[in-house]
Amino acid sequence: MRKVFVDTNVLLNPKFNFDNYEKVYISITSIEELDNLKRDDRMGYQAREAIRKIINADNVDIKL
């Protein structure tokens, strides 16, 4: 399995699957961007879905 470092754009992509990777690294900046986007009219749904996926994944490591 592979390890991957993802940014906000990858997390917003509905085709991104956490199960395809051994470990997924996410910057705290991307988490903050998702938090800000969840209230946006256009991107809000995608941001909330990405946050749900992050919370439910057991292979996520958030980096400062």
Side-chain angles (χ1 to χ4, degrees), residues 37-48:
L37 283 172
K38 69 183 179 184
R39 292 172 199 83
D40 185 80
D41 291 336
R42 192 174 58 110
M43 300 295 292
Y45 175 77
Q46 291 170 315
R48 290 188 300 275

Side-chain angles (χ1 to χ4, degrees), residues 2-14:
R2 302 176 312 210
K3 299 177 184 180
V4 64
F5 191 96
V6 297
D7 68 354
T8 308
N9 289 326
V10 174
L11 293 169
L12 288 171
N13 185 337

Side-chain angles (χ1 to χ4, degrees), residues 7-63:
D7 68 354
T8 308
N9 289 326
V10 174
L11 293 169
L12 288 171
N13 185 337
K15 294 180 182 177
F16 179 73
N17 188 351
F18 286 90
D19 295 332
N20 292 342
Y21 301 95
E22 175 185 349
K23 192 65 135 177
V24 178
Y25 297 100
I26 304 171
S27 166
I28 191 68
T29 304
S30 291
I31 300 296
E32 291 169 350
E33 288 175 354
L34 287 172
D35 188 50
N36 290 333
L37 283 172
K38 69 183 179 184
R39 292 172 199 83
D40 185 80
D41 291 336
R42 192 174 58 110
M43 300 295 292
Y45 175 77
Q46 291 170 315
R48 290 188 300 275
E49 282 297 307
I51 292 168
R52 282 187 202 105
K53 289 179 184 178
I54 292 167
I55 290 170
N56 292 327
D58 60 351
N59 60 343
V60 171
D61 191 7
I62 297 174
K63 296 293 184 181

